[in-house]
Amino acid sequence: MSEKKTKRRDFLFTATYAVGAVGVGATIWPMIDQMNPDASVKALASTEVDVSSMSPGKTITVLWRGKPVFIRRRTPDEISEAKAVKMEELKHPEKDEDRAKNPEWLVMLGVCTHLGCVPLDQKGDYNGWFCPCHGSHYDISGRIRKGPAPTNMEIPKYEFVSANTIKIG
Amino acid sequence: MSDHNYTPSSKFGKWFNDRLPLLSLANHLTDYPTPKNLNYWWTFGGILTFCLITQIVTGLVLAMHYIAHADMAFDSVEHIMRDVNYGWLIRYIHANGASMFFLAVYIHIFRSLFYGSYKAPREIIWIIGIIIYLLMMAAAFMGYVLPWGQMSFWGATVITNLFSAIPLVGEGIVTWLWGGYSVDNPTLTRFFTLHYLIPFLILGLVVLHIWALHVPGNNNPVGIDIQKPSKDTVPFHPYIVIKDGFALLMFMIVFAFFVFYTPNILGHADNYIEADPLVTPAHIVPEWYLLPFYAILRSVPDKLLGVVAMLSAIFILAALPWLDTSKIRSAVFRPLYRQFYWILVADVLILGYVGAMPAEGLYLLVARVATAYYFIHFLIILPVLGYKEKTLPVPLSITEPVLGGSPNLAGARIKSKKDLKI
């Protein structure tokens, strides 16, 4: 190497490899990206739910982007229970106020953050949800309390479009 | 390849063979010198080839009737079972064939572990084998998703979610694998495509596996290098062909028992319920052949580390030729290894059992101990054993223990002194 000077030909080789690599990358990318969510999947990005018939203590499950979303109208007892939990007891500390803007309504993805199963309502050691697959326990705010799941159940983007209608997404 | 030159007897054969030496290849395969002491544990290579061909042929037929669409897949499988002529038979052969394939591959792998078949100069054969095993697991998993039952759907959800454990890019990868925000139709169609592709990749790797085998030749129960051809070897045809054929017949009896008498015993009843993205079955279990790894996944309380442990349990096998430091191949001459070998067999069976049980209480404790032991076996016991173990004297040839002398004593002695450090 040391005795060899950089020649014009070396530059040509490097330039050819570089252009070739860009060409290969540009060809492969469509092959990879075609597997990402397509336009028709993305078009189903929001769902509106009528919750007028729900009484306190009731949970409904709706489908949003192919995933279940839990909507629970919580009782006053449940709300005070969720608010009373100290942050240091939590694996993934989040205040209940930040998870349920309107404390009466808890809207969250019904997907266990471990490996994606649907937790069961009103089960487990914390009076909230319990995932039957690998034994994660969630409290009444959907926060992970025990088991292998790393984080709390996710809160999707949602808003009350009227007093009785929630728009998810 | 074979040492001697082969000339076809017919004029046309010679003409053809000069242009494409297929007849030379066939001659190599029939004359291929094989150790004469191969026992029945060596017949599973042939049995596995049979399993692969069975899966490809029945799979092709099923693909003619199956519809890869989330709304129609479940019904099309029932259509195969009820309406298609002999559809029930073909589907049951394919579904139970997967289990039979894994049964055979586990025996094949544990035979290698007992007789040290992965050791030099057979490391490449072994690593190709591990890649085949990985592809088999991928094909089996995707195949299980195709009927679009509850276990299909939730098994797919759990297994693809393993990738979400990867920091930063995990969620993006999972969305990419799904082609959406959950397991749905795009996931099903790509799984069907890959399930169709993988068996042919395996077929190609099997050719390489056998090619790599035919360079050093078969290992054998004594685990010594033998001269070939010699009085220690017999030609593959007819000796091994007949033995393999008989073993295959016995295997097919077991296979047929499952297909005709208990076709659903190895499956899960929940898979006869159509996939429902809103309800997870109360107790999710993978197919029996994946249970030991599932137990390892669940025994670690951290999501990322659990996935890492599970994958390491498989990939650690690829490093086995270098983890096992003993120069003696066969466990017949390794009194301590032989005991650890059987402990490992028991350990894997225990992992399989607790993998099928709920991950709580005593089951979880047992799973953790068994997981720890699995890694201790490969990472500590095997490397240390190679230095500490007092091995038994290895015969110089296969015939020596029987006849006292050896027809190829001179050659064998030089080789074994160098290779075996006696």
Side-chain angles (χ1 to χ4, degrees):
Chain A
M1 285 296 275
S2 55
E3 66 219 287
K4 229 177 108 186
K5 277 199 295 184
T6 308
K7 295 190 195 125
R8 282 190 343 165
R9 178 149 296 195
D10 295 328
F11 171 77
L12 286 174
F13 278 137
T14 309
T16 310
Y17 294 144
V19 172
V22 170
V24 169
T27 314
I28 288 176
W29 178 245
M31 298 292 165
I32 294 170
D33 193 42
Q34 54 83 22
M35 282 176 68
N36 272 317
D38 60 35
S40 72
V41 172
K42 285 179 181 162
L44 299 171
S46 74
T47 306
E48 287 195 12
V49 190
D50 178 13
V51 293
S52 55
S53 60
M54 284 180 70
S55 52
K58 189 166 188 263
T59 304
I60 59 164
T61 308
V62 295
L63 206 60
W64 172 65
R65 287 175 156 190
K67 283 180 177 171
V69 173
F70 294 153
I71 301 175
R72 182 169 180 85
R73 186 168 186 182
R74 299 190 295 184
T75 62
D77 285 355
E78 290 172 347
I79 296 168
S80 51
E81 185 191 326
K83 287 191 192 296
V85 177
K86 293 194 190 75
M87 283 302 113
E88 41 288 9
E89 289 174 32
L90 296 173
K91 187 172 174 184
H92 178 196
E94 270 187 320
K95 288 201 183 105
D96 186 59
E97 297 90 288
D98 298 334
R99 292 180 57 80
K101 293 278 184 291
N102 176 350
E104 201 179 352
W105 295 93
L106 178 66
V107 179
M108 67 179 175
L109 278 189
V111 175
C112 178
T113 54
H114 182 227
L115 294 173
C117 297
V118 179
L120 302 169
D121 192 23
Q122 304 263 277
K123 288 253 168 66
D125 298 354
Y126 294 88
N127 201 16
W129 284 266
F130 170 71
C131 181
C133 293
H134 308 95
S136 293
H137 300 254
Y138 296 87
D139 66 14
I140 195 62
S141 186
R143 291 173 296 201
I144 179 67
R145 303 300 289 271
K146 196 170 127 188
T151 58
N152 303 335
M153 279 195 265
E154 205 182 314
I155 305 291
K157 208 178 115 210
Y158 70 91
E159 57 181 349
F160 278 86
V161 286
S162 70
N164 286 325
T165 310
I166 300 176
K167 182 182 168 204
I168 305 163
Chain B
M1 292 283 179
S2 57
D3 304 320
H4 59 285
N5 286 319
Y6 165 75
T7 320
S9 50
S10 77
K11 221 175 165 185
F12 174 73
K14 194 175 174 319
W15 178 88
F16 185 88
N17 203 48
D18 285 345
R19 282 150 184 82
L20 179 67
L22 271 186
L23 295 170
S24 290
L25 178 65
N27 177 256
H28 162 77
L29 293 175
T30 51
D31 281 3
Y32 173 63
T34 317
K36 65 181 179 187
N37 60 343
L38 293 190
N39 56 33
Y40 273 106
W41 300 113
W42 258 268
T43 59
F44 282 86
I47 287 170
L48 283 162
T49 312
F50 164 80
C51 288
L52 178 62
I53 302 301
T54 304
Q55 291 305 89
I56 289 178
V57 171
T58 53
L60 281 171
V61 176
L62 289 171
M64 294 177 188
H65 303 281
Y66 171 77
I67 301 166
H69 190 283
D71 295 337
M72 290 180 269
F74 187 83
D75 290 343
S76 75
V77 171
E78 283 311 302
H79 161 73
I80 290 169
M81 294 301 290
R82 293 154 195 246
D83 303 338
V84 176
N85 299 333
Y86 295 103
W88 60 273
L89 176 66
I90 295 157
R91 176 164 176 262
Y92 277 152
I93 291 174
H94 196 72
N96 286 283
S99 283
M100 293 300 112
F101 205 158
F102 275 95
L103 174 67
V105 92
Y106 282 127
I107 295 173
H108 194 61
I109 290 171
F110 274 100
R111 187 269 291 158
S112 288
L113 292 180
F114 189 84
Y115 293 110
S117 299
Y118 48 84
K119 291 186 194 184
R122 296 184 180 84
E123 301 96 319
I124 299 292
I125 311 174
W126 172 255
I127 289 170
I128 292 171
I130 296 298
I131 298 171
I132 293 172
Y133 174 49
L134 276 170
L135 285 175
M136 278 175 63
M137 289 197 278
F141 158 64
M142 292 186 193
Y144 197 55
V145 174
L146 302 185
W148 212 240
Q150 275 288 66
M151 279 293 160
S152 302
F153 185 89
W154 292 102
T157 300
V158 168
I159 299 298
T160 48
N161 260 306
L162 293 178
F163 291 91
S164 72
I166 303 167
L168 303 175
V169 294
E171 294 293 338
I173 289 175
V174 173
T175 304
W176 177 74
L177 287 173
W178 288 341
Y181 304 105
S182 63
V183 173
D184 209 331
N185 194 51
T187 325
L188 176 61
T189 49
R190 67 191 54 178
F191 276 20
F192 178 59
T193 310
L194 294 172
H195 183 71
Y196 208 123
L197 168 71
I198 290 173
F200 296 97
L201 297 181
I202 293 177
L203 190 63
L205 284 166
V206 166
V207 172
L208 294 182
H209 195 62
I210 296 171
W211 187 3
L213 169 70
H214 280 230
V215 176
N218 288 71
N219 185 28
N220 62 78
V222 178
I224 55 168
D225 290 321
I226 50 167
Q227 280 201 322
K228 359 162 250 184
S230 70
K231 285 192 175 171
D232 274 351
T233 67
V234 290
F236 187 79
H237 183 75
Y239 296 94
I240 303 297
V241 169
I242 291 295
K243 187 162 184 160
D244 276 1
F246 179 69
L248 178 60
L249 208 62
M250 295 295 114
F251 185 79
M252 283 161 81
I253 291 173
V254 177
F255 197 144
F257 174 80
F258 279 104
V259 170
F260 291 105
Y261 291 93
T262 61
N264 286 306
I265 198 168
L266 298 170
H268 200 295
D270 278 357
N271 223 27
Y272 281 102
I273 304 169
E274 192 168 0
D276 181 353
L278 293 180
V279 182
T280 304
H283 186 47
I284 289 197
V285 278
E287 293 277 81
W288 67 268
Y289 39 81
L290 302 176
L291 286 173
F293 300 110
Y294 192 61
I296 291 173
L297 168 76
R298 296 196 304 181
S299 69
V300 182
D302 181 84
K303 179 172 166 180
L304 177 61
L305 291 180
V307 175
V308 169
M310 185 184 71
L311 293 177
S312 309
I314 303 167
F315 286 111
I316 205 170
L317 293 171
L320 187 57
W322 297 276
L323 289 172
D324 184 348
T325 50
S326 176
K327 296 282 183 246
I328 307 292
R329 289 200 192 102
S330 175
V332 172
F333 306 105
R334 298 183 63 190
L336 278 177
Y337 173 71
R338 201 157 62 215
Q339 291 170 30
F340 285 115
Y341 170 85
W342 287 113
I343 295 173
L344 180 73
V345 172
D347 187 62
V348 172
L349 290 176
I350 289 168
L351 279 172
Y353 175 72
V354 293
M357 294 294 134
E360 55 196 27
L362 186 62
Y363 293 126
L364 190 57
L365 180 71
V366 172
R368 284 183 176 156
V369 172
T371 298
Y373 183 79
Y374 182 90
F375 287 103
I376 289 169
H377 176 90
F378 289 107
L379 293 175
I380 298 172
I381 294 174
L382 281 188
V384 172
L385 210 56
Y387 297 105
K388 297 281 175 201
E389 189 177 28
K390 214 169 147 46
T391 55
L392 304 175
V394 176
L396 299 177
S397 76
I398 293 169
T399 42
E400 191 207 52
V402 186
L403 302 174
S406 167
N408 28 307
L409 192 59
R413 177 166 287 152
I414 292 161
K415 276 195 100 132
S416 53
K417 268 194 178 159
K418 184 179 58 164
D419 289 356
L420 305 175
K421 287 189 182 160
I422 296 170

